Amino acid sequence: MTGGRRTTLGDLATRLGLSVNTVSRALAGKDGVSERTRALVLDEARRVGYVAAAEPPAPERVRSRTVAVTIPSATHLFSSELIGAIEAGARAAGYSLDVFTTEESGEQEQAAARRMIDNDLAGAIVIPVRNRTEPWAEVLAAGIPLVLASREVPALPCDFVTVDNTAGAYAAVRHLLAQGCRTIVQFEEDLGISTIDHRREGYARAMAEVPDAVAHTILVPTRRFETAEPRWRATEAHRAGLALLDRRLDYDAIVAGDDYFALGALAALTERGVRVPEDVRLAGYGDHPYSAWLNPALTSVRIPARLIGELAVSLLLQRIAGETGPPVRRLIKPELITRRSSTG
């Protein structure tokens, strides 16, 4: 107590930077509060001499009518299509949408999760930063339903929706092998996330099925941590393509983990007088709108971003409504769009 006035529940919440509802649930021993938060609340209550019995009963939780989505970057086409589908589904169900951009930063991800807990949001659709379990375990412990999109974190017991990236990469490589290619270079971003791991798995599986196929992987330096510049640029893939040509490695195809990387590789090949597809065949990933307008038009794996968003928001709304049961794992089969860059 301070100056003779009894410390209130609101005072305690203000001191801790938490919502009144979170503090009330922690003091009452109710679920939906992480052990770390509960210990913090109890320690502060003892320190200031808070007496819970003097407070009127805390009201039952009133669910927020807001859901959240976290994305790694607002500049990538996948993110914009995903958000559009999620926003439409949430709005139709009477929910508003909060969008958090993490820029692949664990600190920004932690801040987004903390705001979700403090504001007692109804639920969230999350593209996690790399393979981090925290802080999303805390969000789940706070009783906020989560659906993971695009990137998987197996340790988190929540629903997950993505494209089958293993199948997508496998289809692209099998297509190149069917065109007679035998030495195929994979251009992939140097970043430890499940989508990239699964694409590399599909590439390796397809190459292993053909005895005389020779595999090479080029890890393209990531640009995602440079917040002052747009991410997903073709610049690094262009540099990697020129370096590959300087090695004078004998290869007849390149498969890229993103259409931007394919764009950079195509520019490098063209500058050095290497013809696509006559000398080297090329395939990308994502089927971005410009891919069909390149010269030659780019073969690419089409990712159904809107469908992923629609399924994710549908699963989230079911969980918000009280749906129970084991976590759902939905893999959507992608479509390989073949064009002249790989077919001649």
Side-chain angles (χ1 to χ4, degrees):
M1 292 181 289
T2 303
R5 186 175 70 85
R6 185 182 300 275
T7 300
T8 68
L9 193 67
D11 294 334
L12 196 56
T14 299
R15 288 174 179 271
L16 294 168
L18 299 173
S19 69
V20 171
N21 186 43
T22 297
V23 172
S24 174
R25 296 183 72 84
L27 291 170
K30 294 182 179 180
D31 60 5
V33 181
S34 71
E35 289 305 314
R36 186 172 69 179
T37 299
R38 192 186 308 280
L40 183 69
V41 171
L42 292 175
D43 287 347
E44 182 67 11
R46 283 192 291 268
R47 191 184 71 80
V48 301
Y50 172 76
V51 181
E55 291 293 324
E60 289 298 315
R61 174 184 178 185
V62 177
R63 280 195 181 276
S64 165
R65 298 299 295 180
T66 301
V67 298
V69 59
T70 71
I71 54 174
S73 170
T75 63
H76 196 260
L77 293 170
F78 175 83
S79 295
S80 61
E81 291 187 32
L82 184 79
I83 289 172
I86 293 171
E87 196 276 335
R91 185 180 65 247
Y95 290 86
S96 59
L97 185 68
D98 280 351
V99 178
F100 299 93
T101 303
T102 63
E103 304 290 359
E104 301 291 359
S105 163
E107 290 75 16
Q108 289 184 216
E109 183 182 52
Q110 181 76 48
R114 174 51 52 194
R115 285 184 61 187
M116 293 178 197
I117 295 171
D118 290 348
N119 294 332
D120 203 18
L121 296 191
I125 297 170
V126 173
I127 301 179
V129 173
R130 295 183 289 283
N131 294 317
R132 286 164 46 91
T133 302
E134 297 294 338
W136 303 117
E138 296 180 23
V139 175
L140 287 171
I144 298 174
L146 286 183
V147 175
L148 299 185
S150 182
R151 301 178 185 176
E152 186 172 21
V153 181
L156 289 175
C158 53
D159 299 331
F160 172 56
V161 184
T162 191
V163 67
D164 189 339
N165 288 291
T166 301
Y170 176 87
V173 176
R174 286 297 304 181
H175 164 70
L176 292 170
L177 291 167
Q179 299 300 307
C181 302
R182 285 299 177 267
T183 303
I184 302 177
V185 178
Q186 182 188 37
F187 271 38
E188 192 55 83
E189 189 176 13
D190 189 9
L191 185 66
I193 57 177
S194 64
T195 50
I196 292 174
D197 293 342
H198 293 157
R199 282 199 299 266
R200 295 186 67 179
E201 178 185 341
Y203 167 79
R205 183 184 301 173
M207 295 296 284
E209 291 178 354
V210 178
D212 60 340
V214 179
H216 295 281
T217 297
I218 303 294
L219 293 179
V220 179
T222 186
R223 309 283 304 193
R224 300 200 199 191
F225 306 104
E226 300 176 12
T227 56
E229 300 183 35
R231 267 65 62 198
W232 300 90
R233 301 194 318 174
T235 306
E236 294 302 326
H238 174 252
R239 291 174 182 167
L242 292 175
L244 178 63
L245 289 162
D246 290 339
R247 289 170 55 186
R248 300 189 180 280
L249 183 69
D250 186 21
Y251 58 94
D252 47 24
I254 294 174
V255 59
D258 187 89
D259 284 356
Y260 286 110
F261 293 164
L263 180 61
L266 177 60
L269 292 168
T270 302
E271 286 177 21
R272 295 294 179 84
V274 179
R275 299 171 300 166
V276 177
E278 292 84 358
D279 302 322
V280 173
R281 298 179 189 265
L282 178 64
Y285 205 92
D287 193 34
H288 300 331
Y290 63 79
S291 300
W293 298 94
L294 295 176
N295 185 21
L298 180 64
T299 289
S300 188
V301 177
R302 179 172 293 168
I303 300 176
R306 290 200 64 86
L307 179 57
I308 292 172
E310 289 166 0
L311 290 174
V313 75
S314 176
L315 285 170
L316 182 63
L317 291 172
Q318 291 176 49
R319 296 298 184 184
I320 291 172
E323 181 73 22
T324 59
V328 174
R329 187 173 187 267
R330 291 291 301 274
L331 298 182
I332 304 168
K333 185 177 180 180
E335 180 184 5
L336 178 66
I337 307 298
T338 57
R339 300 189 179 101
R340 197 168 70 84
S341 71
S342 68
T343 59

